[in-house]
Amino acid sequence: MSDSSKPYNPVRYLTEDSRPLYLHYGEDFLTHKFPAGTRVVYANKPMKPIDNQGAAIRYALNHPEGDVKPLYAQLKPGMKVTIAIDDISVPLPPMKTPDIRQKVLEIVLQMLTDHGVEDVEMVVALALHRRMTEGEIKRMVGPEIFKEYYPERLYNMDAEDEDNMVFLGETDHGEKVQIVRRAAESDLLIYVNVNYVPMNGGFKSIGTGLSGYQSIQYHHNPQTILKSDSYMDPKNSALYSSNERMGRMINEKLNVFHIETALNNKMYDDQLQFLADPEDDWSTADELKFKSMQWTLKQLPRAAKRNFFHKVPADYGLVGVFAGATEAVHEKTLEKCWQQHAVPVEGQSDVVVWGIPFESPYNVNSIMNPLLVRVMALGYFFNMYRGKPIVKKGGTLIITHPCYDQFDPDHHPSYIEFFNRCLPETRCSKTLGKRWEKEFAENPNYIEMFRRGNAYHGVHPFYMWYWAENGQHHVGRVVVVGAENDHVPARMGWLSAKTMDEALEMAAEHHGPDHDLTVMHHPPFVIADVR
């Protein structure tokens, strides 16, 4: 046990007496006793949440950032207002109700009513994500707003509805800027954002969130991804730079009022908060609770475990809310994000380990299929850094996940074809894009499932493959611990190990006995501020 009187240090070095670490393994947990000297990077403690959320939201609306008027001063009877809302992909897992979006919307809608604004519509900014279900929308906005506005004035956007998507022009880089028609034709566009990591928000909210394939293809491509030196660091992200150019054009043509909310990292309620703490800080009761939970999960079929995890909401707290001009607002939000998530780390490692949990932004209430395992490993977790990646160039990444060959046919139909038809031919992102991207994007069956069902856009698996491009080029190799089959890791181009000891032996053979080893203890998510 550590001395609780000492300041909390999220970077620990294991000793011979250290407890085994737990790692996420899909819908289960693995435990392993890592060798003495292993560096473990944990999340910062959750920042203290704002007690009076309503007051903080009202203050932000009345004291905007940047050279814009307060929201109330922009409102008048007869005007047309559109409110765009972040979708279910953030935060992860979904937060306890009331969702912070509900709190913001209640205050904004009341302000609109008080000023005689009647022409109000709310659109869920899906881009190429799947449509949210009625139940998911109701949970997000609350039952009262849902009852009054859904479905005529509260709805999912449809990026394939040509009559309701318009082009605003081209950037100086030739990027075509597309946006939802209702937003483009409004007197005021309000965006309600949830900022969970620094990659979200800012110009990306509208530049991507309210656009479709004709616009998104300019930055969701292998070349742009490869030039992005961490998605979490906007100033070094070519992805964000493209969104910034598009967003600036949108802001020049439209009256945009941006609202961003920053959350802390309290993923667990008080009973499970020990899961975010270093194992050496656990009490005996914590250790017993973990062993009991691990044993119970092993007894359940996978579908039951998945259903259980998806029904456990996160206990996030609001730590910042800012409103006004897009860029000025996002600067304030980023300060909160870095304050919560960034952990100073000295130097890179030859070998880095992280466990892949049951959820990504793209399988909420669904299955973590093989492509989403890859995007979490080499896309999101790899990019959780500022300065330099935590793993050295050419280093070894060890992940834990069963890598089951399962796909949700309702949410991810085009993923199934991509995995079974395209990947056996090539893993080269440029070749995949050149040969098949347009075919999938224009496939009428996939378009219909995207528009009428709850499927991700037909092109989405390509974007998921591209999303890992910079991680794939940086890491020397990936070793999967605990894959329940051989063909999924092989199709990804990964090596397999039955146990963590076997994986560590493979790393030692490759890098030598004196290699550096770091375990990134996600989640809660950690952004390594590598120096």
Side-chain angles (χ1 to χ4, degrees), residues 53 95-103 106 139-140 142:
Q53 295 183 354
M95 66 190 302
K96 287 184 175 180
T97 56
D99 190 295
I100 191 59
R101 283 161 286 206
Q102 175 185 337
K103 292 285 192 87
E106 286 173 346
R139 185 185 189 279
M140 180 174 70

Side-chain angles (χ1 to χ4, degrees), residues 72-92:
Y72 70 84
Q74 298 190 45
L75 305 178
K76 59 184 179 181
M79 70 186 304
K80 178 188 290 187
V81 175
T82 296
I83 305 172
I85 316 165
D86 272 350
D87 75 344
I88 200 172
S89 62
V90 288
L92 296 177

Side-chain angles (χ1 to χ4, degrees), residues 365-439:
N365 298 323
S366 184
I367 296 170
M368 177 81 100
N369 64 56
L371 299 182
L372 297 181
V373 173
R374 182 178 184 269
V375 84
M376 285 299 289
L378 292 172
Y380 283 103
F381 281 0
F382 171 79
N383 280 277
M384 291 284 181
Y385 71 88
R386 180 168 64 172
K388 297 179 181 180
I390 189 68
V391 60
K392 293 177 182 177
K393 178 72 173 177
T396 296
L397 174 62
I398 299 175
I399 67 171
T400 57
H401 195 274
C403 286
Y404 37 73
D405 187 354
Q406 293 182 16
F407 295 80
D408 187 317
D410 295 321
H411 287 187
H412 305 116
S414 63
Y415 280 58
I416 300 170
E417 182 180 4
F418 179 92
F419 184 76
N420 292 293
R421 175 189 169 201
C422 304
L423 283 187
E425 296 287 331
T426 180
R427 289 192 292 269
C428 173
S429 291
K430 292 182 180 179
T431 303
L432 285 164
K434 184 177 181 180
R435 289 181 63 178
W436 292 297
E437 179 184 311
K438 187 175 181 181
E439 175 193 335

Side-chain angles (χ1 to χ4, degrees), residues 178-458:
Q178 184 189 37
I179 193 172
V180 172
R181 180 181 294 278
R182 166 73 195 197
E185 296 178 350
S186 292
D187 299 303
L188 176 63
L189 171 60
I190 301 172
Y191 199 101
V192 177
N193 158 265
V194 178
N195 248 82
Y196 185 53
V197 290
M199 184 191 76
N200 298 326
F203 288 110
K204 181 175 177 287
S205 289
I206 297 175
T208 292
L210 289 178
S211 63
Y213 176 66
Q214 301 305 322
S215 191
I216 292 174
Q217 63 181 317
Y218 288 99
H219 43 74
H220 278 52
N221 57 67
Q223 296 82 1
T224 302
I225 297 301
L226 194 56
K227 290 187 290 186
S228 295
D229 191 3
S230 179
Y231 308 144
M232 302 302 158
D233 192 358
K235 69 178 184 298
N236 291 316
S237 170
L239 172 72
Y240 190 84
S241 295
S242 178
N243 274 286
E244 183 176 6
R245 290 189 293 269
M246 294 180 173
R248 288 189 186 281
M249 171 175 282
I250 293 170
N251 283 16
E252 289 172 2
K253 294 178 178 289
L254 306 181
N255 181 20
V256 178
F257 191 87
H258 218 94
I259 306 171
E260 293 193 347
T261 59
L263 304 178
N264 66 12
N265 66 348
K266 195 170 188 294
M267 293 183 65
Y268 308 108
D269 62 20
D270 292 339
Q271 289 297 314
L272 294 177
Q273 183 58 27
F274 73 91
L275 291 172
D277 297 332
E279 286 84 347
D280 284 341
D281 293 354
W282 288 4
S283 66
T284 302
D286 293 334
E287 193 170 11
L288 289 173
K289 278 194 288 187
F290 175 78
K291 289 181 178 179
S292 175
M293 183 168 57
Q294 188 179 31
W295 182 87
T296 301
L297 288 172
K298 287 181 179 180
Q299 313 312 309
L300 296 174
R302 181 169 291 149
K305 288 184 285 192
R306 182 177 298 133
N307 186 58
F308 165 76
F309 275 113
H310 281 293
K311 288 186 179 302
V312 179
D315 198 22
Y316 300 119
L318 179 71
V319 295
V321 55
F322 308 99
T326 305
E327 196 164 20
V329 166
H330 199 51
E331 287 179 4
K332 294 283 188 178
T333 307
L334 286 176
E335 291 177 9
K336 291 294 183 181
C337 283
W338 291 123
Q339 187 179 352
Q340 176 62 87
H341 297 295
V343 174
V345 177
E346 296 295 331
Q348 300 169 289
S349 288
D350 300 298
V351 183
V352 176
V353 180
W354 51 60
I356 306 299
F358 67 97
E359 192 168 43
S360 82
Y362 315 111
N363 74 301
V364 178
N365 298 323
S366 184
I367 296 170
M368 177 81 100
N369 64 56
L371 299 182
L372 297 181
V373 173
R374 182 178 184 269
V375 84
M376 285 299 289
L378 292 172
Y380 283 103
F381 281 0
F382 171 79
N383 280 277
M384 291 284 181
Y385 71 88
R386 180 168 64 172
K388 297 179 181 180
I390 189 68
V391 60
K392 293 177 182 177
K393 178 72 173 177
T396 296
L397 174 62
I398 299 175
I399 67 171
T400 57
H401 195 274
C403 286
Y404 37 73
D405 187 354
Q406 293 182 16
F407 295 80
D408 187 317
D410 295 321
H411 287 187
H412 305 116
S414 63
Y415 280 58
I416 300 170
E417 182 180 4
F418 179 92
F419 184 76
N420 292 293
R421 175 189 169 201
C422 304
L423 283 187
E425 296 287 331
T426 180
R427 289 192 292 269
C428 173
S429 291
K430 292 182 180 179
T431 303
L432 285 164
K434 184 177 181 180
R435 289 181 63 178
W436 292 297
E437 179 184 311
K438 187 175 181 181
E439 175 193 335
F440 276 61
E442 298 178 353
N443 183 303
N445 293 321
Y446 291 145
I447 290 175
E448 184 67 13
M449 286 186 277
F450 170 73
R451 295 192 66 191
R452 314 297 180 195
N454 294 100
Y456 282 82
H457 195 277

Side-chain angles (χ1 to χ4, degrees), residues 13 34 69 103 115 149 155 198 248 250 266 314 349 392 411 413 428 435 462 474 477 483 492 498:
Y13 288 86
F34 285 87
K69 295 179 181 179
K103 292 285 192 87
H115 287 78
Y149 288 90
Y155 49 85
R248 288 189 186 281
I250 293 170
K266 195 170 188 294
S349 288
K392 293 177 182 177
H411 287 187
C428 173
R435 289 181 63 178
F462 289 84
H474 182 90
R477 59 185 187 165
M492 301 292 183
K498 293 182 179 179

